[in-house]
Amino acid sequence: MYRSQKLSLRYFGAAVALFGVMIVFGLLSALYYLHPSLLFDVFNFSTSKTLHIDTLVIWLLMGFLGAVYWYLPKELGREVEGMWLAELMFWIFCIAVAIVAAVFIFVQYGSSNEFTLWFINQGRKYVEAPRWATIGIVAVMAVFAYNVVATCIKAHKMTGIMWVLVIDLVPLLVVYLDAFPAITNMSVDLYWWWWLVHMWVESTWEVLIGCVMALVLMDVMGTSRRIVEAWLYIEVMLVLGAGILGLGHHYFWIGTPEYWLSIGGFFSALEPLPLLGMVVHAIYDAGTHRMKTTNRPAFYWITAEAFGNFIGAGIWGFMMTLPQINLFSHGTQWTVSHGHFAFWGAYACGVIAVLYVAKQQVSGVNFLDGRAWKWGFGLLNLGMIGMVMGLLLAGMAQAFFGRAIGGSTLMAFTTASENPWFVSGIYARFFFGVIFAAGYVVLVYDLLTAPKHLPMPQATPEPA
Amino acid sequence: MKPEATGSGTIAARLDLQDPLFWRAGAVSVTLVMIVVLAFLSVDSMRVISVGGRNVPNYDVINYRIGYQFDWSRKMDVPVIGGAQPLFGKTVTEAEATALMDKGKLVIQSRNCMNCHTIFGNGAYYGPDLTKSWLDPAWSQIWMPMTGKATREDAMVEFLMHPDKYPTWTRQMPNLNISEDEARATVAYLKWLSAIDTNGFPANFGKANTSR
Ligand code: HEM
Ligand code: HEM
């Protein structure tokens, strides 16, 4: 095992732990909707929710870093350059996350000055972390980029996947710089904020996970490099071709010119295409290999990634991406429904697939299967689908009663929030959230228990 | 050059979609074109959304009455700036207004309001959207009587400083230790926000007669 793969395992461990923290704060956030007086004035919804979405971003980022550190030496056939720096950065990353979390929990907010922005909370959704920590994340990603590029140079080798990855590192870093400014004009603030949020989740991360999935496919299914690379380029072309201007679907209502209604509507309506392509790709591969794989859990999680990405991001996003609908669905639990389904399908499932790839190699079995992973898979996906359906119901009730009929005032908001459809959706989210949490426990248990040595099914591709 | 895939005759094979170099050229060119288009649109958008641009009024708009009415030619609700109506009864200069706005925005960031509320529908969904909060009938119908204040802005200041004393329903806003200066700046910010042209979001604001 390469040294960088040992680092991967550390990143995976941290990612899974933060995934757990995220679920705890997700359940807590959901509980405020059911018991509004919970911890009132002591630990408010805003704090709990901030922790929920920030740990989300961080655990996925850690999962990606882990995945790349895992595959980089395999892909290039040599140890990663600058490992000591990468190892140092891992600890800096963890310590920074712990400090930020502690400050969020115990200090929560500050008064209106620069000190707060530097050391307590920046109060911009998803990038609430104070500026010092943001600098830390930039440093972590810069070292990561250095590792990747330097290893390619030292290895005198570039594969198609590596090219895509290396170029993708540029926007990954550049748009993150958007996490610093505090612009007074809210329209301009949100304009650039969306470059970060949309360009990360709907473009650069999508490309990054495309690279990771390409590597996993070659690994667990033995798909040929030529096919995988052709698909990767097609995905990149469609994801960026539609996604860059698809950014416009966030520029409908923030003060931006009216032409964004048509540009955003049109291009974002095309965004599901590449995601559909990935589903076709997965089915095609599964068909050519007759579903034979050396790593069944990884295979199932990649398939879940392809379908989840298409349905959660593609279909759920498409539902509300046209301005005529978005005018009413915008900023309701409908958005939350899509946000959960998309992040889960597009990224979380992919990261979990890589966790199983790593588990197989660490435990040294030729064929990975068993029973517990199926329970984890089933409970997590059932929990997620249940939550998403509940939220869709709640969000539609808000769009209809709060927005279209009610006219969006405080009174309309309250009325919609007391509507029985909304309330049942909110209960469903909590109930299925608990099921999801149970699935997480099984997942962790399964990842940590040594697998049985099973006989290899016949006619499988060579294990990686 | 056939790959080892056994599924011969698949769509991908027939259309010769398997040459990576072809797709690489496609990916690079499409991406570059899109980035260039986005750059142009962003430059244009910045003109429109800068303070004093077509959609975003100057900060001293807080000296005027602000309304929100349906515009038949654009087929959407648009803000209407009316006659003088100075905030807290005091006309401010553009510089004073800017200072208030800088402060107000800092209050909003430092208290993490956006992880309960939305502005222009962006944020979190636990509390009501604040885009048109300045125009919310709740101020005159609920909070002016409740706080015993004579004006909307005074009621807003009182509410922001002690939200836990004036709940209207079970889901309440917590006390965030907002000082009087901070509350006034925030109210100014909310008034300015309501004057931004948001392409008709939220629709029909305050036009429905909902009662609980
Ligand atoms: C036990 C499971 C979970 C529960 C109970 C839960 C609950 C919540 C709640 C209550 C919110 C706040 C929504 C609001 O502002 O009103 C939220 C936001 C969010 N959660 Fe979760 N969550 C869970 C798991 C997850 C998972 C697994 C993911 C991603 C893979 C995720 C991603 C998000 C995102 C992206 C947001 C922000 C959405 C938006 O504002 O539109 N959550 N969650
Ligand atoms: C990997 C893919 C995607 C992820 C992870 C994702 C995630 C999210 C999240 C978290 C939000 C809420 C943002 C907020 O906090 O305000 C959001 C909003 C939105 N997404 Fe996606 N999304 C993805 C793909 C797509 C696609 C392909 C479409 C369209 C076809 C789409 C359409 C939308 C729209 C219209 C909104 C705005 C919702 C609103 O008006 O409140 N998304 N997305």
Side-chain angles (χ1 to χ4, degrees):
Chain A
M1 183 179 287
Y2 291 97
R3 193 166 155 199
S4 80
Q5 294 189 318
K6 297 219 176 77
L7 177 63
S8 289
L9 295 180
R10 261 177 250 152
Y11 266 118
F12 290 149
V16 172
L18 281 176
F19 182 18
V21 176
M22 171 205 180
I23 293 175
V24 169
F25 284 108
L27 284 172
L28 180 61
S29 307
L31 212 51
Y32 289 95
Y33 276 87
L34 304 174
H35 298 283
S37 56
L38 187 79
L39 296 175
F40 184 66
D41 269 347
V42 177
F43 193 84
N44 295 313
F45 173 85
S46 43
T47 309
S48 166
K49 203 223 134 177
T50 303
L51 283 156
H52 177 59
I53 58 178
D54 285 14
T55 42
L56 162 72
V57 175
I58 297 296
W59 87 259
L60 289 178
L61 198 60
M62 285 187 164
F64 294 155
L65 293 186
V68 174
Y69 280 125
W70 182 264
Y71 277 113
L72 198 58
K74 281 184 149 183
E75 181 74 358
L76 297 174
R78 88 185 286 284
E79 182 57 86
V80 171
E81 258 317 276
M83 272 316 290
W84 68 272
L85 206 54
E87 281 160 1
L88 178 69
M89 275 335 223
F90 170 76
W91 291 111
I92 293 184
F93 200 178
C94 290
I95 293 169
V97 169
I99 296 177
V100 171
V103 170
F104 280 173
I105 291 172
F106 297 108
V107 186
Q108 300 176 7
Y109 55 82
S111 49
S112 53
N113 51 36
E114 289 282 320
F115 179 83
T116 304
L117 302 185
W118 277 99
F119 298 104
I120 303 175
N121 193 325
Q122 287 200 70
R124 291 167 87 220
K125 192 178 178 189
Y126 300 111
V127 283
E128 292 88 350
R131 282 186 184 143
W132 73 265
T134 311
I135 295 177
I137 295 181
V138 171
V140 168
M141 289 196 299
V143 167
F144 171 64
Y146 157 75
N147 287 147
V148 174
V149 175
T151 314
C152 290
I153 293 174
K154 281 274 156 115
H156 293 295
K157 187 176 166 194
M158 240 2 217
T159 61
I161 298 177
M162 289 319 294
W163 269 115
V164 176
L165 182 67
V166 165
I167 295 176
D168 195 48
L169 289 173
V170 177
L172 191 70
L173 252 166
V174 171
V175 294
Y176 191 70
L177 298 180
D178 223 4
F180 291 96
I183 298 165
T184 298
N185 180 345
M186 189 59 89
S187 294
V188 176
D189 181 341
L190 286 173
Y191 191 92
W192 299 119
W193 179 80
W194 275 117
W195 274 50
L196 172 53
V197 176
H198 174 101
M199 290 300 188
W200 258 31
V201 303
E202 282 168 58
S203 305
T204 51
W205 278 25
E206 194 77 68
V207 171
L208 188 63
I209 197 81
C211 295
V212 172
M213 286 299 107
L215 293 164
V216 175
L217 277 178
M218 292 198 299
D219 200 352
V220 300
M221 313 227 319
T223 313
S224 86
R225 179 174 291 274
R226 208 172 132 79
I227 298 184
V228 162
E229 287 195 347
W231 270 106
L232 183 61
Y233 290 133
I234 297 173
E235 270 164 38
V236 170
M237 180 174 82
L238 293 174
V239 162
L240 298 181
I244 291 177
L245 288 183
L247 176 60
H249 63 196
H250 301 300
Y251 291 162
F252 295 159
W253 326 116
I254 66 168
T256 29
E258 243 176 273
Y259 53 70
W260 283 112
L261 296 178
S262 13
I263 296 178
F266 179 77
F267 283 95
S268 65
L270 298 178
E271 277 187 57
L273 279 181
L275 310 180
L276 179 63
M278 291 188 211
V279 172
V280 176
H281 183 183
I283 293 176
Y284 169 77
D285 274 345
T288 52
H289 298 287
R290 298 206 177 70
M291 311 257 296
K292 288 280 161 53
T293 165
T294 53
N295 187 331
R296 196 154 281 156
F299 172 75
Y300 270 78
W301 280 107
I302 306 180
T303 312
E305 198 271 347
F307 279 91
N309 199 351
F310 173 58
I311 301 174
I315 306 217
W316 253 241
F318 183 79
M319 258 201 290
M320 51 172 194
T321 205
L322 296 178
Q324 294 82 346
I325 293 170
N326 194 264
L327 178 60
F328 303 109
S329 68
H330 181 46
T332 61
Q333 297 295 324
W334 196 333
T335 310
V336 183
S337 175
H338 160 66
H340 280 84
F341 210 171
F343 261 113
W344 175 248
Y347 304 124
C349 292
V351 169
I352 297 175
V354 182
L355 295 179
Y356 275 104
V357 169
K359 172 175 173 166
Q360 181 178 25
Q361 185 171 328
V362 170
S363 54
V365 293
N366 289 333
F367 176 59
L368 187 66
D369 200 358
R371 198 174 297 145
W373 75 263
K374 289 180 189 145
W375 279 96
F377 182 86
L379 287 171
L380 282 166
N381 282 301
L382 175 70
M384 182 49 73
I385 290 172
M387 277 200 287
V388 160
M389 291 302 170
L391 290 170
L392 183 63
L393 195 68
M396 286 181 161
Q398 279 185 300
F400 191 71
F401 296 106
R403 290 285 172 69
I405 296 185
S408 310
T409 52
L410 173 68
M411 198 74 101
F413 181 77
T414 326
T415 313
S417 303
E418 285 167 357
N419 181 283
W421 291 105
F422 179 88
V423 176
S424 13
I426 290 302
Y427 270 98
R429 160 167 66 189
F430 189 76
F431 174 75
F432 283 100
V434 173
I435 293 185
F436 185 89
Y440 169 80
V441 174
V442 181
L443 175 78
V444 174
Y445 163 81
D446 185 51
L447 284 170
L448 294 180
T449 35
K452 289 204 186 65
H453 283 269
L454 297 166
M456 177 91 88
Q458 275 167 359
T460 45
E462 277 296 289
Chain B
M1 202 180 130
K2 279 271 159 204
E4 81 286 349
T6 50
S8 55
T10 56
I11 301 173
R14 254 185 283 125
L15 297 181
D16 191 25
L17 290 181
Q18 292 183 352
D19 185 5
L21 292 183
F22 171 71
W23 292 109
R24 187 168 79 190
V28 172
S29 41
V30 167
T31 305
L32 287 178
V33 169
M34 292 303 166
I35 289 178
V36 171
V37 176
L38 179 63
F40 274 103
L41 292 174
S42 294
V43 170
D44 184 65
S45 297
M46 277 305 132
R47 273 194 311 120
V48 177
I49 64 177
S50 297
V51 174
R54 179 151 42 86
N55 284 357
V56 178
N58 282 320
Y59 290 138
D60 63 5
V61 74
I62 55 174
N63 291 326
Y64 301 93
R65 180 184 308 279
I66 292 160
Y68 191 50
Q69 272 167 17
F70 195 75
D71 179 325
W72 287 99
S73 65
R74 289 180 63 195
K75 297 204 175 48
M76 54 179 66
D77 292 320
V78 293
V80 190
I81 319 258
Q85 191 201 59
L87 189 66
F88 301 112
K90 179 177 172 294
T91 307
V92 291
T93 63
E94 179 66 27
E96 286 167 331
T98 307
L100 277 175
M101 295 303 156
D102 290 343
K103 187 81 177 167
K105 178 68 178 345
L106 266 178
V107 174
I108 288 174
Q109 285 193 228
S110 62
R111 300 310 198 287
N112 209 358
C113 312
M114 301 276 276
N115 271 302
C116 275
H117 289 282
T118 47
I119 288 179
F120 306 144
N122 295 120
Y125 322 111
Y126 189 74
D129 182 56
L130 298 181
T131 313
K132 301 290 171 194
S133 175
W134 169 256
L135 301 171
D136 199 315
W139 298 115
S140 58
Q141 289 170 7
I142 303 175
W143 278 308
M144 275 166 62
M146 207 190 257
T147 56
K149 299 287 178 186
T151 64
R152 163 169 45 176
E153 45 263 49
D154 287 333
M156 289 176 87
V157 168
E158 178 65 19
F159 173 78
L160 285 176
M161 290 173 67
H162 312 285
D164 45 349
K165 280 206 238 158
Y166 309 104
T168 77
W169 60 314
T170 52
R171 220 188 280 168
Q172 300 176 37
M173 172 157 158
N175 189 327
L176 298 167
N177 292 315
I178 296 177
S179 70
E180 182 163 356
D181 280 350
E182 287 179 328
R184 285 171 158 254
T186 311
V187 171
Y189 198 86
L190 291 174
K191 183 171 183 185
W192 167 76
L193 270 187
S194 71
I196 292 174
D197 185 335
T198 50
N199 290 336
F201 175 86
N204 307 321
F205 189 82
K207 300 225 179 82
N209 240 333
T210 35
S211 54
R212 285 190 254 155

